[in-house]
Amino acid sequence: MDRTAQLTTRSTEYEIAYDPPASGGSLHVRAARVLEANWTGGSTVPSRSLYPHQWSWDSAFIAIGLRHVSPLRAQTELETLLAAQWADGRVPHIVFNPSVPLDAYFPSPDFWRSSTAGRTAGAPRTVQTSGIVQPPVHALAAWLVHRADPVLSRTRGFLARVYPRLAAWHRYLLHRRDLGGGGLVSVVHPWEQGMDNSPCWDAPLARITPAPARSFRRADLEHGAAEDRPTDLDYGRYVRLAADYRDAGYADGDGEFAVEDPAFNALLIASEHALARIAEELGAPGTARHARAERLTAALVERLWDPETEMFLCRDLKGGGLIRERGVSGLVPLLLPGLPRDIAAALVRTLYGPHFALGDRTRLVPSHDLLGEAFDPHRYWRGPAWFNTNWLLERGLRAHGELHRADALRAAVLHLADVTGFAEYVDPYTGEACGATGFGWTAALALDLHHDLHQELHQELHQELHQELLKHRGQGVSGPGTGAFDTSDKGGDRR
């Protein structure tokens, strides 16, 4: 199997209508109901109460799960997000729903002022967005959504319509965000990396003068426990960085915060491989994109790999050097099948070692080093386990042949997602729900893993039946995946 194909899951027939059944007790039904409840007509909100707009990487993960119940709705999810793309190529991290009151979420559209402050960068005039970005999972999501129903995708021209936007998005990151000159993309705000208050940002943020507390009102504290959320001091620094970026017309390169992050770049690499596959599907060569992904992988290893900690670390371009904090971001590159074998093996050791203790002290992979001074099992990205990062690591373990470990992690994700009501994140030790429940990407990625498990069990059953049939016919037993009952995914189309 080629390397990009390993990032995908198996295609199958879809006999279930999108509308969840009126009754039924399966995880599939419960997850589908969460996605239906969060659907707004053109996209899916992460949480009705806490996050009432469309978020960029949330929508990519949500589309990956939605493809199992409605490939059409999964396509629409991505199309809605990409319709808000700026002329310079950036995909904003929030697309605001105009029907939601301004005070329902902060920073609101009147803070970002995208149509005015972002005019030079080509912000759209017909929709309000933020001015920063989030991790580029979108091409990977688009490829997986296409594979779910290639006939529908081709009929609608889905890939042909999203490919130019995805290519422009990658071009923006590669050309405008290589702030360190080493080939990697930099984030200019902690919210861009998605792990908002990770201890990895503590040192770079310490240089930022926070905005006065009286200058903003935190709507998030009305829907979540204060002890689970970022502190007021951190929030003041986030606001200051965002306001300075806005006031500079969203121009890149002059801010006080610039960090090369391993997870952000790993997701760009995975999506660059996926974009190559999309190009090939459209009849264009993907060789150059595969080669670019390989160069980015080499740059990732050269600039961010730390042999001492046996994981990738963030690089602070303003403060100089690697940031000596072990965050889950430094494990996410495991999802890249093109990673050198010795580095992949080291990441697996770290994942199961004392700093993350998966399957030993923790039920899911925590967001930060268990032994670090900043670790907190309940405070947002400073220790709790998140379902999207665990999904990525499950994919990574599977890509590198750690099948039993991947199976165990998948089982833990499915169980905890279900019993917590699809919580936003959980205590890594106890599995206790934290943050919002009925969370979009938790339901979507649980749905994806549930479908993957169902397909594997289906294949095993057919292989057993095939072997029994051969035995009774006296023909001997052939290897798995052969004959008429072969349901394995060869990466081809389902017509």
Side-chain angles (χ1 to χ4, degrees):
M1 183 182 287
D2 66 49
R3 281 182 283 201
T4 305
Q6 292 185 51
L7 293 176
T8 66
T9 59
R10 299 173 179 85
S11 61
T12 188
E13 296 292 338
Y14 293 88
E15 300 173 351
I16 301 173
Y18 181 75
D19 291 336
S23 62
S26 73
L27 181 146
H28 176 102
V29 171
R30 288 188 289 275
R33 284 177 177 158
V34 169
L35 297 178
E36 174 67 12
N38 290 358
W39 177 251
T40 66
S43 64
T44 310
V45 298
S47 162
R48 283 287 182 182
S49 60
L50 194 52
Y51 306 104
H53 302 284
Q54 182 179 26
W55 261 258
S56 173
W57 75 326
D58 290 73
S59 276
F61 286 124
I62 286 167
I64 289 170
L66 268 177
R67 68 193 172 115
H68 298 300
V69 287
S70 175
L72 176 59
R73 191 169 284 192
Q75 292 176 26
T76 302
E77 183 80 35
L78 295 173
E79 290 165 347
T80 300
L81 176 70
L82 292 173
Q85 185 174 29
W86 291 27
D88 66 1
R90 81 181 74 195
V91 176
H93 99 294
I94 302 175
V95 180
F96 290 105
N97 183 343
S99 67
V100 173
L102 286 178
D103 61 359
Y105 181 81
F106 179 85
S108 51
D110 57 344
F111 172 89
W112 295 103
R113 304 171 204 159
S114 60
S115 59
T116 54
R119 185 180 296 126
T120 302
R125 296 185 179 183
T126 57
V127 63
Q128 293 294 314
T129 76
S130 65
I132 59 175
V133 302
Q134 275 190 324
V137 199
H138 312 90
L140 177 58
W143 177 244
L144 293 174
V145 167
H146 163 77
R147 285 172 62 89
D149 194 333
V151 174
L152 174 68
S153 176
R154 294 188 187 111
T155 300
R156 297 187 68 246
F158 170 64
L159 291 182
R161 284 184 287 110
V162 301
Y163 179 81
R165 291 184 177 274
L166 293 170
W169 169 219
H170 286 206
R171 189 161 53 247
Y172 165 78
L173 292 172
L174 292 166
H175 293 179
R176 300 283 295 275
R177 288 298 191 90
D178 181 10
L179 303 181
L184 295 184
V185 172
S186 297
V187 296
V188 299
H189 193 290
W191 289 339
E192 291 199 312
Q193 193 267 355
M195 304 178 190
D196 301 10
N197 67 329
S198 166
C200 297
W201 314 135
D202 288 356
L205 280 176
R207 300 190 297 267
I208 309 302
T209 302
R214 64 182 180 278
S215 66
F216 59 91
R217 183 189 67 81
R218 295 183 58 181
D220 62 317
L221 296 182
E222 297 176 8
H223 303 284
E227 60 270 20
D228 290 353
R229 307 292 299 171
T231 64
D232 286 342
L233 178 61
D234 282 340
Y235 221 88
R237 287 170 169 152
Y238 304 151
V239 172
R240 171 71 69 183
L241 278 175
D244 288 351
Y245 191 43
R246 175 200 66 203
D247 294 344
Y250 296 110
D252 295 310
D254 298 328
E256 297 180 74
F257 186 99
V259 175
E260 294 174 349
D261 173 76
F264 194 103
N265 282 279
L267 290 169
L268 175 60
I269 293 166
S271 276
E272 190 69 14
H273 277 304
L275 202 57
R277 294 294 295 272
I278 293 173
E280 292 162 0
E281 165 68 21
L282 295 173
T287 309
R289 291 198 177 277
H290 283 307
R292 181 180 295 119
E294 294 299 335
R295 291 195 299 272
L296 286 167
T297 301
L300 182 71
V301 172
E302 179 183 352
R303 292 184 64 81
L304 304 186
W305 176 248
D306 182 55
E308 181 182 346
T309 58
E310 290 199 314
M311 63 185 301
F312 291 89
L313 301 178
C314 297
R315 180 177 293 276
D316 180 3
L317 297 181
K318 300 296 182 178
L322 296 176
I323 299 171
R324 313 306 299 188
E325 292 282 357
R326 294 177 172 91
V328 70
S329 171
L331 299 174
V332 169
L334 185 64
L335 75 95
L336 301 173
L339 209 58
R341 185 174 301 176
D342 59 329
I343 289 180
L347 287 174
V348 173
R349 286 195 297 271
T350 302
L351 185 58
Y352 290 90
H355 294 282
F356 294 90
L358 179 60
D360 178 14
R361 297 170 60 204
T362 61
R363 303 179 69 178
L364 294 180
V365 185
S367 53
H368 195 66
D369 178 7
L370 300 174
L371 305 180
E373 292 184 9
F375 174 80
D376 183 331
H378 282 192
R379 193 178 290 277
Y380 220 44
W381 287 97
R382 302 181 78 82
W386 287 74
F387 290 92
N388 66 327
T389 52
N390 277 266
W391 180 86
L392 291 167
L393 291 170
E394 191 273 350
R395 299 287 89 182
L397 288 168
R398 204 167 294 283
H400 290 282
E402 297 283 350
L403 302 185
H404 293 299
R405 284 171 161 163
D407 288 346
L409 181 53
R410 177 176 61 191
V413 168
L414 289 172
H415 174 70
L416 288 176
D418 201 11
V419 300
T420 61
F422 303 98
E424 184 178 1
Y425 51 98
V426 298
D427 182 311
Y429 294 125
T430 67
E432 174 191 350
C434 300
T437 54
F439 199 73
W441 77 28
T442 303
L445 297 177
L447 192 59
D448 186 61
L449 293 177
H450 177 73
H451 176 269
D452 198 37
L453 175 61
H454 176 78
Q455 285 295 102
E456 287 185 9
L457 294 174
H458 186 68
Q459 287 184 37
E460 290 173 5
L461 174 61
H462 276 285
Q463 288 167 10
E464 290 174 6
L465 290 173
H466 178 60
Q467 290 172 352
E468 284 297 315
L469 179 62
L470 292 177
K471 187 184 300 181
H472 286 301
R473 288 181 176 177
Q475 297 177 1
V477 178
S478 57
T482 61
F485 293 103
D486 182 13
T487 58
S488 61
D489 179 16
K490 300 296 194 302
D493 294 340
R494 175 179 56 79
R495 296 186 184 274

